[in-house]
Amino acid sequence: MGACATKTISSDKTMAKPEAASVSADKTTTGNDNENTTETSVQEFELKKRRPGCTGMFWRSDPTGTTGLASNANWPRDGAKLRGQVVVTSNGEKWLLATSVLQKGSTQWKAAPQGAAMPFEYNNHYYLE
């Protein structure tokens, strides 16, 4: 099996959203009623899953629309660690705007493609913690 991918991206808002070990108080917001909130500090999370199937998740496009996804290179496999900035979209979904990825079993962090993002919750299957 390969990475989990669908044409629609959903998040289960009834699931508890994991918080980072340390969260910066610095936040930036954009827009008015369609506001996105972004943590300015880089944080680290692990890609975990609740059930078998798939071997990782393809990158998603930046949900803020600020940067287009350059490629799906080096998509995170099960157990990968991701670094980036947390953003909460205007509809309340929490995402990580990824800057780098450390695949499970590797010791070398690699840059994530420009515009790469990962939802904190995907289809009650994958989640970031």
Side-chain angles (χ1 to χ4, degrees):
M1 290 201 152
C4 287
T6 62
K7 290 187 179 185
T8 58
I9 298 170
S10 64
S11 74
D12 184 348
K13 292 184 183 175
T14 62
M15 300 299 297
K17 303 292 185 203
E19 295 296 325
S22 63
V23 176
S24 167
D26 299 330
K27 293 183 180 182
T28 58
T29 57
T30 58
N32 44 32
D33 290 340
N34 295 325
E35 234 175 52
N36 296 311
T37 304
T38 305
E39 296 289 339
T40 56
S41 63
V42 173
Q43 299 176 50
E44 186 176 311
F45 300 91
E46 184 175 342
L47 180 64
K48 296 185 173 188
K49 66 182 179 181
R50 292 186 169 85
R51 62 182 194 274
C54 305
T55 57
M57 266 184 68
F58 289 126
W59 295 115
R60 281 19 186 194
S61 296
D62 175 353
T64 68
T66 303
T67 309
L69 179 59
S71 75
N72 237 321
N74 201 28
W75 51 272
R77 277 49 169 199
D78 294 348
K81 293 188 179 185
L82 306 173
R83 287 183 181 160
Q85 293 179 315
V86 175
V87 63
V88 178
T89 63
S90 59
N91 62 358
E93 293 179 339
K94 190 173 176 181
W95 288 74
L96 182 69
L97 303 179
T99 54
S100 55
V101 60
L102 176 68
Q103 299 291 359
K104 187 174 182 177
S106 178
T107 58
Q108 185 177 29
W109 286 89
K110 294 189 178 181
Q114 185 176 11
M118 192 62 57
F120 270 77
E121 174 66 39
Y122 174 73
N123 199 26
N124 199 27
H125 189 174
Y126 277 97
Y127 63 101
L128 295 178
E129 182 175 78

